[in-house]
Amino acid sequence: MAILDEEVRVLLKGNRDFRNVWVGESAAHFGTQLTNFLLPLVAVTALHASGTEVGLISAVQFIPIVLLSLVAGVVVDRHPPRRTLVITSVARGAVLALLGVAQATQGLTITHVVAAAAVVGTATVFYEVAYQSTIPKIVSVDSIPSANGLHQATYSVSQLAGPSVAGFLVGKTGLSPTFAVAAAFFVGATLGGALLRDVKAPGVPRQSALHTIASGLRYTWSLRPLRDLCTQAGLSNLHEQCFLTVFLIFAARELGLSGTAIGLVIGVGSVGALAGSLVAARIGARTTVGRTLTGGVVLAAAGLLLVPLVVVPDLGAVVLVALLALAFVVNGFGVALFNVFAVSLRQAIPPEHQLGAVTASYRLVALGTLPVGAFAGGALSDALGAGRAIWVVGVSYLCVSFWLMFSPLRSATTLQQARALGVRPGSGETVDEQTPAP
């Protein structure tokens, strides 16, 4: 616990609701990361899928973000989060258990994997909107960065363990036991969600779903801080997912790395994200929030561009894996710095009754690019070859990483000052949905 700051220790010790939801979210993170890596890995190694099919499997997990994020925002604003957290955890655990049964009895097909990816993706959309909308209801504004730092740290550890565990289990125990392990994590997520009993849905007048959705979209897009963060996050996520899809094909087919080695590279790279999430609040306090945001995303892009740079002839397998992992460490550190403060701002700015709608609207833009990136990665690999595609995606990512350099957020020194960019001067109130951003 020594590596955790005092605010995090206070949250874990004294805030029962936060502790319960964090434990459930931790289990969900581990299950999700294992699943996200496992499904395309199975397609590449066991089903011998084409690059386009691998991209499709990854994309299907994220398509529900585009189709259902706004609906999820309405559901979360109208119902207690506990119900959503439990139902979505049960759904993901059940579909993974069914994949294990299918493999043990009749063998998996691409259709099975695609269908499971769609179910997991759909449930994850509702779960994440519910979780992220709950945090500002149970944690004070000043504590939000620390809470999100812990959340990001847990996510980073799951990124470290998930791919590594998936690659190891597939190689050593087979597919059915690996699916059983993934399902077990969602049993833990179900229990964590069930313990969240004190948070209720906001007591706001009911309005039509379409009106609620439109309100959330207008509010999110009217505020310059949220709009800039949405755009940067969307561009970054598109390139991150595109790069990951290309890298999976590149590492397996052109570098000849095993599934275990690929999982190790991506997993060890998450050490950087873990470190970044643990120190983000301190870096923001010692420098500025603006520099942390802008510097983090540029560093993330530079880290991925290191991947093709370190692939040189006559490198031994151990050295190659170590250098690739180092590149992903740099990427993860930068991503964590950006995410901690981007999520904190998104949670701090909206009023409580619009948290679900704003969270969903933001996620639609920021994460809606993931399926595009996944499919584009597979298509680029087929069209250019994975070796060329990885350069194209890396250079493109570096170019778009400078978006926030042109935002007022760049000059924000603290979270409160960055938050004030979305407040009407002299009013002390957050800009309402009819007020355009300056």
Side-chain angles (χ1 to χ4, degrees):
M1 296 289 288
I3 61 174
L4 300 180
D5 62 31
E6 181 63 28
E7 184 64 43
V8 171
R9 290 196 289 271
V10 170
L11 283 173
L12 290 176
K13 184 177 180 179
N15 191 324
R16 183 187 64 179
D17 285 330
F18 174 75
R19 185 171 63 248
N20 289 339
V21 77
W22 172 71
V23 169
E25 173 72 354
S26 298
H29 271 326
F30 277 93
T32 300
Q33 288 303 311
L34 197 156
T35 302
N36 287 348
F37 182 79
L38 176 61
L39 295 184
L41 178 63
V42 167
V44 171
T45 60
L47 302 180
H48 307 291
S50 68
T52 300
E53 287 173 329
V54 174
L56 176 63
I57 290 169
S58 296
V60 164
Q61 297 180 69
F62 303 115
I63 287 175
I65 295 172
V66 178
L67 299 180
L68 298 174
S69 283
L70 299 178
V71 176
V74 174
V75 171
V76 167
D77 280 340
R78 295 184 177 184
H79 300 282
R82 176 171 174 264
R83 183 185 307 172
T84 305
L85 296 175
V86 169
I87 291 174
T88 53
S89 298
V90 169
R92 288 181 287 183
V95 76
L96 291 171
L98 288 175
L99 282 182
V101 172
Q103 171 62 21
T105 56
Q106 59 187 10
L108 286 178
T109 66
I110 287 293
T111 301
H112 289 144
V113 177
V114 170
V119 173
V120 170
T122 297
T124 299
V125 169
F126 284 83
Y127 184 95
E128 289 296 327
V129 172
Y131 169 79
Q132 294 184 15
S133 300
T134 299
I135 292 301
K137 299 176 183 177
I138 60 178
V139 172
S140 67
V141 172
D142 291 339
S143 298
I144 286 177
S146 295
N148 284 326
L150 182 61
H151 163 79
Q152 186 67 34
T154 305
Y155 178 75
S156 302
V157 172
S158 71
Q159 282 186 312
L160 170 63
S164 302
V165 169
F168 176 81
L169 289 177
V170 169
K172 299 297 182 180
T173 67
L175 294 180
S176 292
T178 305
F179 284 121
V181 171
F185 279 115
F186 289 110
V187 174
T190 301
L191 295 176
L195 292 173
L196 183 67
R197 299 179 179 275
D198 297 335
V199 181
K200 300 180 181 180
V204 297
R206 284 293 182 90
Q207 55 188 0
S208 71
L210 287 177
H211 186 277
T212 301
I213 288 171
S215 172
L217 285 171
R218 287 197 300 269
Y219 183 93
T220 302
W221 210 246
S222 72
L223 300 183
R224 180 69 184 272
L226 291 179
R227 186 168 69 246
D228 289 343
L229 289 173
C230 269
T231 303
Q232 182 66 78
L235 291 171
S236 296
N237 285 332
L238 185 150
H239 285 82
E240 290 274 350
Q241 189 60 41
C242 185
F243 191 95
L244 187 60
T245 302
V246 174
F247 176 75
L248 184 62
I249 300 167
F250 176 68
R253 294 181 178 169
E254 297 199 16
L255 300 182
L257 298 181
S258 66
T260 302
I262 298 171
L264 183 64
V265 166
I266 298 174
V268 170
S270 298
V271 171
L274 174 60
S277 59
L278 290 174
V279 302
R282 300 174 195 174
I283 291 176
R286 292 179 181 179
T287 58
T288 68
V289 169
R291 289 176 182 173
T292 306
L293 283 168
T294 56
V297 69
V298 173
L299 187 63
L304 291 189
L305 192 56
L306 287 175
V307 169
L309 285 172
V310 302
V311 178
V312 297
D314 302 323
L315 274 181
V318 174
V319 175
L320 176 60
V321 168
L323 290 175
L324 291 173
L326 179 61
F328 276 95
V329 165
V330 175
N331 168 259
F333 189 87
V335 168
L337 294 182
F338 172 78
N339 281 346
V340 166
F341 284 102
V343 173
S344 297
L345 281 168
R346 189 187 72 211
Q347 292 171 334
I349 291 174
E352 180 176 322
H353 70 277
Q354 282 200 320
L355 276 170
V358 170
T359 299
S361 300
Y362 182 102
R363 284 172 58 83
L364 173 64
V365 178
L367 303 182
T369 58
L370 288 173
V372 179
F375 191 78
L380 282 172
S381 296
D382 285 344
L384 303 177
R388 292 181 180 177
I390 206 165
W391 275 106
V392 170
V393 179
V395 171
S396 177
Y397 188 9
L398 185 62
C399 291
V400 304
S401 69
F402 293 98
W403 177 267
L404 282 183
M405 294 292 186
F406 304 98
S407 169
L409 284 170
R410 182 173 65 89
S411 61
T413 58
T414 65
L415 180 65
Q416 293 289 354
Q417 183 182 352
R419 184 189 186 195
L421 293 172
V423 177
R424 286 183 300 194
S427 72
E429 298 294 334
T430 307
V431 179
D432 61 32
E433 64 184 44
Q434 284 81 29
T435 305

